Amino acid sequence: MAEHAALYVAGTYAEPAADQPTRPVTSPVTGEHLADLPVATTDQIDRAVTGARAAFEDYRHWSAHERAALCHRIAELIDAHADELARLTTLEQGKTLADALDDVHDSASIFRDSAEDAKRLYGELIPSEERGKRMFTFRVPVGVWAGITPWNFPLMIMCEFLGPALATGNAIVCKPPENTPLVCLRLGALLSEAGVPAGLVSILPGGGAVGEALVTHAAVDAIGFVGSSATAERIVRSAGLKRTLIEASGNGPVVVCADADLAAAADAAVYGATWNSGQVCCATERVLVDGAVREDFLAEVARAAADVVLGDPFDAATTMGPLNNEPTAAKMDRHIEQALDAGATLVSGRGRLSGYPTNLYYDLAVLDEVTPAMAVAREESFGPILPVISASDDDELLRIANADPLGLQAAVFTRDLRRAFRFAEGLRVGSVVVNDSTDYFESAQPFGGAAGSRTGWGRVGGLAQLRDMTDLRAAIFSLD
């Protein structure tokens, strides 16, 4: 069995037992069988967590500069193996090779940024009420984290927890998904080569049973999760009072005001609906457009959509590869059918296209006359779809946007600075992007959901995440 098809348990690849159950890994690009992945046993999960706890007791005493040096070594190795990691990502996930290469380099950047941020994770001196007292704060690692991450950015999102965890002195057991485990497991060898202490990191892909075992394990101190709101709610119920950092579903709207640059708005909306085949938590899931410019906007969308090239993601000319899995494609089928039955109009889109190695190659669907009550507007489609909802003015645009229970990231297009500020402050989301795609993201950006939404709490990215993955400790000294 190839190393990257074996579980990485407490710092080593574990060969499966003869009777250990396996799960097949299949390429959405070619349909070929890539590997039979062992399903983690209770014993392997326990060894991973126990190993993390033991390694943490030493690693917690490493200095910030020592931890930073380790993270920089990991980043260098990721970049050195970028071509291999990118090809593996494309084969098992389906995104274009160019996008997969970006993911790999972004993964390396996360380790570099975390390394430097950790060296500047300062405390403060607080004036005491009493003479002879000195009160100050500093950051300490939480302990053993479980990082549960999705299949759409398999390596990068796993590294979004792994990098900050190592930079701040934590141990972590990563549970990447069953659909895209191979690139994540391949990282294990690079971690060992970089000198990550044995036991400090494990990588155990799996389904809900593996995640549940990690969440409820007595020696796991905290859980980081990126995925659906439904799964997040189950995790939180099981986690009890354990620390949780949750980034769940998004249904981020693109708001197109009457004074918008319609060509730029259309380009951003189409990009947001097709980048990674729309399988992005902040993808263009809804377009809310002022009715006064709706027709002109749709014409610009048709222009931008004509440039989308669906096909083999290893071909440099391709801009959009297949969907990753059948449940996602089936949801696209259902959302489009329900919308059309409820009165929406299919402007363009041919559904699943034949003539490809799998039936997961899905054409961009543009829907007009969508209403907020339709499932395609209320639920995260997670595919290449662009539903257009008309509104009469800014008040209605804001009302429709905020009526949705999810609140991750939104985009607003306007030439008016006052209008931009109104939406930036009025939209109930964690981030507002002005005059760019909902998919805009930087690794230093504090990314996460808004209070009152079903998108979670805490922030993934930048210094904010390092604070969320550490404890603030106060110390009070008597000098007398």
Side-chain angles (χ1 to χ4, degrees), residues 299-455:
E300 292 290 351
V301 166
R303 172 196 55 77
D307 292 332
V308 176
V309 180
L310 173 64
D312 178 0
F314 287 102
D315 187 332
T318 296
T319 63
M320 185 172 74
L323 292 170
N324 175 260
N325 56 75
E326 176 57 31
T328 299
K331 183 191 278 191
M332 281 283 295
D333 292 339
R334 184 173 69 255
H335 279 182
I336 293 171
E337 181 180 358
Q338 289 175 346
L340 296 179
D341 289 345
T345 302
L346 184 65
V347 177
S348 63
R350 298 165 291 169
R352 307 187 197 219
L353 298 188
S354 59
Y356 291 96
T358 72
N359 68 344
L360 297 175
Y361 289 77
Y362 214 108
D363 198 26
L364 169 64
V366 179
L367 294 169
D368 190 21
E369 300 180 277
V370 173
T371 68
M374 294 177 184
V376 72
R378 291 184 291 103
E379 301 174 5
E380 185 180 40
S381 296
F382 224 60
I385 193 164
L386 202 159
V388 177
I389 302 171
S390 293
S392 58
D393 55 24
D394 288 358
D395 289 339
E396 189 175 18
L397 287 169
L398 199 55
R399 179 183 61 77
I400 294 172
N402 286 340
D404 191 86
L406 303 177
L408 185 56
Q409 181 154 291
V412 58
F413 282 82
T414 176
R415 292 182 170 95
D416 186 323
L417 186 60
R418 289 173 298 180
R419 185 176 253 158
F421 268 104
R422 182 189 179 194
F423 279 95
E425 294 186 0
L427 287 165
R428 191 197 58 182
V429 291
S431 304
V432 178
V433 182
V434 179
N435 293 331
D436 207 332
S437 167
T438 52
D439 275 340
Y440 185 83
F441 176 74
E442 295 186 22
S443 61
Q445 176 187 344
F447 188 75
S453 72
R454 296 182 65 238
T455 300

Side-chain angles (χ1 to χ4, degrees), residues 46 238 282 304-305 322 368 404:
D46 192 59
S238 296
C282 54
D368 190 21
D404 191 86

Side-chain angles (χ1 to χ4, degrees), residues 38-272:
V39 176
T41 64
T42 301
D43 177 67
Q44 287 172 326
I45 294 169
D46 192 59
R47 281 199 290 121
V49 175
T50 302
R53 171 61 59 191
F56 167 71
E57 292 305 325
D58 175 68
Y59 188 65
R60 65 189 299 185
H61 299 296
W62 284 34
S63 73
H65 288 262
E66 289 174 311
R67 299 193 304 264
L70 174 62
C71 288
H72 278 296
R73 291 197 298 272
I74 296 169
E76 290 169 2
L77 286 168
I78 291 173
D79 279 338
H81 291 81
D83 289 341
E84 173 198 358
L85 296 171
R87 293 192 69 84
L88 194 52
T89 297
T90 293
L91 191 61
E92 65 176 342
Q93 200 282 330
K95 65 179 63 188
T96 68
L97 186 60
D99 286 344
L101 196 59
D102 285 343
D103 285 2
V104 174
H105 289 309
D106 285 345
S107 300
S109 293
I110 289 167
F111 280 95
R112 291 193 179 95
D113 291 346
S114 297
E116 296 307 305
D117 284 341
K119 291 190 287 189
R120 295 161 182 83
L121 199 60
Y122 303 136
E124 60 181 347
L125 184 68
I126 303 171
S128 174
E129 293 179 358
E130 296 188 22
R131 297 179 183 179
K133 289 287 196 294
R134 295 294 183 269
M135 183 179 351
F136 62 91
T137 62
F138 56 99
R139 293 275 172 179
V140 297
V142 172
V144 178
W145 281 79
I148 301 173
T149 53
W151 48 260
N152 54 338
F153 294 85
L155 183 65
M156 190 186 77
I157 297 182
M158 186 178 79
C159 289
E160 283 183 335
F161 286 110
L162 182 53
L166 294 183
T168 52
N170 291 286
I172 185 166
V173 179
C174 299
K175 193 208 81 66
E178 294 173 297
N179 292 4
T180 54
L182 302 182
V183 69
C184 298
L185 288 165
R186 178 66 182 91
L187 183 64
L190 304 185
L191 298 177
S192 296
E193 185 178 346
V196 173
L200 197 66
V201 176
S202 289
I203 304 172
L204 306 179
V210 176
E212 181 73 13
L214 289 173
V215 168
T216 57
H217 199 290
V220 169
D221 300 300
I223 299 98
F225 172 76
V226 175
S228 73
S229 295
T231 302
E233 289 176 349
R234 291 198 296 272
I235 287 172
V236 172
R237 284 195 295 268
S238 296
L241 293 179
K242 291 181 180 181
R243 173 83 57 89
T244 54
L245 197 170
I246 303 292
E247 189 256 277
S249 302
N251 199 18
V254 175
V255 178
V256 183
C257 298
D259 68 335
D261 179 334
L262 298 182
D267 286 340
V270 169
Y271 174 80

